[in-house]
Amino acid sequence: MSKIVVTGGAGFIGSHTAVSLVAAGFEPIIVDNFSNSEKNILNGLEQILGRRLTCYEADCNDADAMETIFASERPIGIIHFAASKAVGESVQKPLLYYRNNLNSLMVMLELMPKYQVHNLVFSSSCTVYGQPERLPVTEATPRLPASSPYGNTKAMCEDIIRDCVAAVMPVKAISLRYFNPIGAHPSALIGELPRGVPANLVPYLLQVAAGQRESLTIHGNDYNTPDGTAIRDYIHVMDLADAHVSALQLLNQKNTDSFYDIFNIGTGRGASVLELINTFEEINGIKLPYTLGPRRPGDIEQIYADVSKATEGLRWTAKRSLADALQDAWRWQQTLS
Ligand code: NAD
Ligand code: WQD
C-alpha cells in the first residue's frame, strides 16, 4: 500500500486526515513529537480503523531520525502538518515558531530527493491573506504581511516550497490554505485537544457548554457585518481531511517532475460569531451564556473563501454543514468532561 508520512499526525487535523487516508487506500505513517497532542489519540484511531497505525515518536527537526524513518518506510508522499500553531504564543516566542515551522519543512524538502519522495502536501492558512480588500478571497488575492510570526512562517514556508520547485527539485507540492477548521470525527473517538485556556472560538465555546468555563466573551459586536460580529469560514475537519486525499491524488496523477499549486480549503460561506453560537444552541439544545466584549487585538473583520479552484482542480468540495460540525464537536467534548 502507498505509504504517506503524516507529520503531526497525532494532532487535530493530522489524526482526522489519517482516517481519510485509510478510507482512500493510503497507509499513513504518523510522525509526531507529541508537543501539542496526546498519545491516546492513537487509541481513538485504532478504534475507528480496527487496527493500530504505525507511529514514530520523533521531532521533524531531527534530520537523522527522519532519515531513518524515510529509509525504512519508503513513503510515496508527505503531508506536513507538524508545526507550532498558537498565534499569541508566536508573538511572545518568535524564534520557537521560525525554528520549528521553517526548519521542519526544510528537513522534509532535503530528504525528499534522496528517498525519491515526490509528493508533498503542506498545511498553510488563510492567515496569509490578512484582512483582504475584496471577498471572497481567491488564491490570487494578494498575501498581506502577517500580523504574527506564526502567520509569517506560513507565508515563508509557501515560498520555500515554491522556490524548491522552481529550482526543479523533483518535488510536486500543494499548499492548502485552510480556513477555520472545527468539529470532530462523528464517532467522537478523536477530536481537538486544546491545551490551557483555548484562544479559538469553538474550543472555548465547548468548554463553556460543558460547564468548565462560566461564559463566552464575543470579541467585538461593532464590526461592519450584518450582526456586528466577525465573520469566518468554518470548515468541518473531516471535509478538510478529505481535501488532503484529493491533493495527494492530484499530485500522484501529475506526470511531471516539478509541480506546485495552492488551494483555498473552506466552505465558501462565512458565518458570524453570533450565527455560530445560535447554530450550536439549536443543534445541541443547549443555552450558552455569553457576554459582549471589545474587539480582540489583531483580529480581522471578515474572511471567507472562494473555493472554485479546489472544486475544479481538486474535485473537492466541503460536504458537511456548520451544524454538523458543531454537533460532532459537542459529541467529542462530552467524552472529555
Ligand atoms: P495540532 O497542534 O493539533 O497538530 C500539530 C501536531 O504536530 C501536534 O500533534 C504536535 O505535537 C506536532 N508537532 C509540532 N511540532 C512538531 C515537530 N517538530 N515534530 C513532530 N511533531 C510536531 O495542530 P492542527 O490544528 O492539527 O494543525 C495542523 C497544521 O495545520 C499546522 O501546520 C497548523 O499551523 C495548520 N493550520 C491549522 C489551523 C487551525 O486552525 N487548526 C488553521 C490553518 C492551518
Ligand atoms: C474566530 C472568531 C474571534 C474566541 C485563528 C488563527 C488563524 C487560523 C485559525 C491557523 C474571531 C471570535 C474567539 C472567543 C470570540 N489558525 N472569538 N470569542 O482568529 O479566525 O483564526 O485560527 O492558521 O491563523 O488566527 O479563529 O477561532 O480564534 O476566532 O468572539 O472566546 O471568534 O474574535 O472573530 P481566527 P478564532
Side-chain angles (χ1 to χ4, degrees):
M1 222 190 294
S2 303
K3 292 181 179 176
I4 307 295
V5 162
V6 183
T7 73
F12 174 41
I13 306 168
S15 57
H16 291 81
T17 301
V19 175
S20 294
L21 285 170
V22 171
F26 292 102
E27 183 60 25
I29 307 293
I30 293 175
V31 180
D32 206 298
N33 65 0
F34 299 99
S35 56
N36 198 38
S37 49
E38 304 291 336
K39 290 192 179 143
N40 63 17
I41 284 293
L42 301 172
N43 299 332
L45 280 173
E46 184 171 358
Q47 277 182 268
I48 293 169
L49 300 170
R51 67 186 174 86
R52 192 86 178 166
L53 291 180
T54 304
C55 176
Y56 293 89
E57 181 167 0
D59 190 316
C60 295
N61 296 297
D62 182 342
D64 292 341
M66 289 310 301
E67 178 148 13
T68 307
I69 294 167
F70 278 48
S72 67
E73 297 291 350
R74 295 281 167 182
I76 64 141
I78 303 172
I79 308 182
H80 187 51
F81 292 106
S84 305
K85 68 157 181 179
V87 174
E89 186 189 45
S90 80
V91 177
Q92 304 304 319
K93 301 176 185 169
L95 289 178
L96 189 151
Y97 276 68
Y98 287 116
R99 192 174 295 121
N100 196 34
N101 296 6
L102 302 188
N103 190 56
S104 61
L105 172 68
M106 291 190 281
V107 167
M108 300 303 137
L109 287 165
E110 274 166 355
L111 286 173
M112 286 177 75
K114 188 163 177 189
Y115 290 92
Q116 287 159 28
V117 185
H118 299 300
N119 306 311
L120 173 70
V121 180
F122 174 69
S123 303
S124 190
S125 169
C126 68
T127 195
V128 301
Y129 295 117
Q131 177 60 72
E133 275 180 21
R134 254 178 274 141
L135 289 168
V137 281
T138 74
E139 293 77 356
T141 298
R143 288 185 332 198
L144 292 177
S147 60
S148 71
Y150 166 77
N152 282 333
T153 70
K154 291 296 168 191
M156 287 176 184
C157 284
E158 287 187 355
D159 292 347
I160 291 170
I161 298 170
R162 180 204 60 205
D163 292 348
C164 287
V165 170
V168 202
M169 267 178 60
V171 171
K172 297 181 285 175
I174 288 177
S175 291
L176 299 179
R177 289 179 178 160
Y178 314 157
F179 282 66
N180 288 52
I182 60 166
H185 190 267
S187 67
L189 291 165
I190 57 172
E192 189 169 10
L193 281 173
R195 292 198 165 164
V197 182
N200 297 119
L201 176 60
V202 171
Y204 197 100
L205 174 157
L206 292 171
Q207 294 188 1
V208 173
Q212 294 166 14
R213 303 195 183 275
E214 243 174 60
S215 151
L216 176 72
T217 305
I218 297 181
H219 298 320
N221 69 333
D222 57 351
Y223 285 111
N224 185 22
T225 59
D227 65 23
T229 66
I231 288 176
R232 299 288 185 273
D233 185 340
Y234 297 95
I235 176 168
H236 194 300
V237 66
M238 286 309 301
D239 278 329
L240 177 55
D242 291 341
H244 293 80
V245 171
S246 301
L248 269 181
Q249 287 167 338
L250 177 66
L251 290 175
N252 257 336
Q253 284 162 16
K254 291 274 165 199
N255 279 326
T256 50
D257 271 354
S258 288
F259 172 83
Y260 180 54
D261 213 345
I262 295 174
F263 295 93
N264 284 342
I265 303 296
T267 64
R269 196 184 152 272
S272 73
V273 176
L274 266 176
E275 184 185 347
L276 187 144
I277 292 172
N278 292 337
T279 307
F280 181 90
E281 290 185 332
E282 266 168 40
I283 192 78
N284 295 313
I286 292 172
K287 202 85 195 111
L288 279 171
Y290 65 81
T291 54
L292 298 172
R295 294 181 180 192
R296 188 170 66 175
D299 265 0
I300 60 165
E301 178 176 278
Q302 50 182 318
I303 190 166
Y304 48 95
D306 181 320
V307 288
S308 42
K309 188 172 171 190
T311 307
E312 281 165 39
L314 297 178
R315 300 188 187 289
W316 168 92
T317 46
K319 296 188 178 70
R320 297 150 178 98
S321 68
L322 181 62
D324 293 336
L326 293 171
Q327 191 170 39
D328 290 339
W330 176 233
R331 201 179 290 130
W332 161 249
Q333 177 66 39
Q334 287 169 288
T335 71
L336 301 177
S337 327

